Amino acid sequence: MTPSEVHARAFHRTVASYQQGSHPLTREQYVSPDILRQENERIFATEWGCVGRVAALASPGDFVTRTVAGESLILLRDKGGALRAFFNVCRHRGTRLCTAESGTLGETIQCPYHAWTYATDGRLVGAPHMQEVADFDKSRYSLYGAALAEWEGFLFVNLSERPVPFENAWAPMMERLARFNLGSLVPGHRAVYDVGANWKLVFENYSECLHCPMIHPELSGVLPYQSGANDLVEGPFLGGYMEITPPNASATLSGKACGRLVSPGLPEDERRRAYYYSLMPNLLLSIHPDYVNYYLVTPVAPDRTLVESEWMFHPESRKDIGFNPEDAIAFWDVTNRQDWEIVERSQLGVSSHRYVPGPYSPRESIPAAWDRHYRTLMD
């Protein structure tokens, strides 16, 4: 997307997209195990969820395991170089094939129970003593695959047998962020947070900054909560930009840029903006002029969420004497921990039988929109 196309998009101030009568979700939607089960079935098992970065599968044989909607998956680059996703289930008696979080495979994947053996493209190539079984045909027992897609260096899977094509489901995002060269960025730090709150509270908190003056003194000095506007205000993808207040050059503890621009061609006004998008069902994406960080949100229980975060930088930044990734890492680590503390307190409150949701304010139009889309997925 060219700079002129960016400026041609309609950006809406947060209060302008507010819909009167908007309310948060009910108590049951934050505390019920049955609702979490339904969310796994209706959202996480049917939508295109992010499972990390393609850089983790750089070479043939590289693999990672991920859990999506309670299902264990093997993501790998096969010996021919193709990206693949398989259910982590042996076709013989169902044994889990891989237990490591990541690694590099040899020529095959072998079940540790009865030695059924699969090529990295999923074909069954070895099944001891099955030649004695009438009409046994190895071609009928390949690993079950899951749909896999790549966008801007991110990997996505869909567990549906007939998923909506990724390019259709993600049409609003396909070219929207191309100017930031996300696919070329390299990781600089990873953090995992175990948050004692419902996953929806994490999304809702990310989607508004009304709380920022109360909770985030470091952030509020750089990104004023009334600044910016949103270009996505309804549907599965929501968000827009906030303005970086001079003399700050980025969202860092020092206010200085921590590395090279993620894209050297960014126009001047884009260098004064930070973009924040919530991408249903599990990706939160934060784009700054000099770095990007993202969050993968995984519900573990109604009151527990795993949040995996990674900070990414221009690949040439490491060569620069002034490269200071810790300035950005520390900024968001302290901000994240402030967020986790307040959403955990929110979880305690919404768990009360006396909790009745009050109205959203106009400054909370984006979490209100997120709730509206969530309700459509659950209906």
Side-chain angles (χ1 to χ4, degrees):
M1 183 171 288
T2 66
S4 61
E5 289 172 321
V6 172
H7 288 285
R9 292 207 311 257
F11 283 89
H12 309 269
R13 294 289 173 180
T14 299
V15 297
S17 59
Y18 173 69
Q19 294 186 20
Q20 292 290 341
S22 297
H23 287 75
L25 302 174
T26 66
R27 174 186 180 274
E28 284 300 302
Q29 288 167 309
Y30 295 115
V31 303
S32 168
D34 184 59
I35 286 179
L36 178 57
R37 178 188 59 78
Q38 294 176 45
E39 290 168 348
N40 275 320
E41 292 176 356
R42 301 180 189 181
I43 299 177
F44 292 99
T46 62
E47 301 292 311
W48 284 95
C50 185
V51 288
R53 297 283 289 176
V54 71
L57 305 177
S59 302
D62 287 350
F63 78 93
V64 297
T65 55
R66 301 291 300 188
T67 300
V68 178
E71 295 283 356
S72 179
L73 300 176
I74 306 169
L75 313 173
L76 61 84
R77 190 177 292 278
D78 72 19
K79 290 303 179 179
L83 294 169
R84 298 184 182 273
F86 299 113
F87 286 81
N88 195 1
V89 177
C90 181
R91 292 295 310 278
H92 179 212
R93 288 171 60 181
T95 305
R96 181 159 294 183
L97 297 168
C98 294
T99 56
E101 291 185 2
S102 63
T104 301
L105 298 165
E107 294 296 321
T108 59
I109 308 168
Q110 187 174 72
C111 178
Y113 201 178
H114 300 100
W116 278 36
T117 305
Y118 305 86
T120 55
D121 63 6
R123 292 176 297 115
L124 179 66
V125 294
H129 301 290
M130 296 305 292
Q131 70 274 13
E132 302 167 16
V133 176
D135 300 321
F136 181 77
D137 181 355
K138 288 198 295 260
S139 69
R140 296 172 55 194
Y141 294 93
S142 297
L143 294 176
Y144 288 119
L148 184 67
E150 180 185 353
W151 170 78
E152 295 289 355
F154 291 98
L155 286 176
F156 298 81
V157 296
N158 192 306
L159 304 189
S160 301
E161 292 187 15
R162 299 178 184 84
V164 174
F166 180 80
E167 59 270 21
N168 294 350
W170 276 64
M173 303 304 301
M174 293 305 291
E175 301 298 328
R176 196 173 216 93
L177 305 178
R179 65 195 186 280
F180 295 110
N181 295 325
L182 299 180
S184 71
L185 302 183
V186 296
H189 182 72
R190 183 175 183 269
V192 180
Y193 303 98
D194 196 336
V195 184
N198 188 274
W199 71 279
K200 298 184 290 296
L201 291 175
V202 173
F203 260 88
E204 291 160 350
N205 176 80
Y206 181 88
S207 300
E208 52 91 359
C209 209
L210 177 62
H211 70 278
C212 292
M214 293 287 292
I215 306 299
H216 303 309
E218 295 84 3
L219 183 146
S220 295
V222 178
L223 300 161
Y225 81 101
Q226 296 190 62
S227 71
N230 303 299
D231 59 323
L232 291 169
V233 297
E234 287 293 334
F237 313 124
L238 300 165
Y241 70 87
M242 295 180 72
E243 296 166 357
I244 300 171
T245 303
N248 298 292
S250 185
T252 60
L253 286 181
S254 71
K256 300 175 182 178
C258 66
R260 298 191 187 190
L261 293 173
V262 294
S263 177
L266 285 180
E268 191 60 35
D269 59 349
E270 288 279 84
R271 301 179 189 192
R272 290 291 183 186
R273 291 178 175 179
Y275 285 85
Y276 301 99
Y277 290 102
S278 66
L279 307 172
M280 194 67 139
N282 74 324
L283 177 60
L284 304 174
L285 183 59
S286 304
I287 303 172
H288 309 90
D290 51 331
Y291 69 96
V292 171
N293 56 324
Y294 69 90
Y295 306 86
L296 300 184
V297 179
T298 303
V300 178
D303 60 353
R304 184 180 168 214
T305 302
L306 192 69
V307 180
E308 301 166 79
S309 184
E310 193 167 53
W311 285 253
M312 304 186 297
F313 303 89
H314 190 287
E316 299 298 313
S317 282
R318 294 173 178 172
K319 300 178 180 179
D320 300 335
I321 295 175
F323 181 44
N324 184 16
E326 185 58 34
D327 207 6
I329 294 165
F331 180 89
W332 282 108
D333 188 61
V334 69
T335 302
N336 292 337
R337 293 181 189 280
Q338 291 161 349
D339 277 328
W340 310 149
E341 180 181 3
I342 201 64
V343 297
E344 288 175 348
R345 290 180 65 173
S346 185
Q347 181 70 38
L348 294 174
V350 300
S351 299
S352 170
H353 288 276
R354 295 303 296 270
Y355 167 69
V356 177
Y360 275 125
S361 80
R363 301 266 1 141
E364 299 166 291
S365 63
I366 297 300
W370 192 90
D371 288 355
R372 284 194 294 274
H373 185 70
Y374 166 84
R375 290 182 180 108
T376 67
L377 295 178
M378 293 293 287
D379 285 344

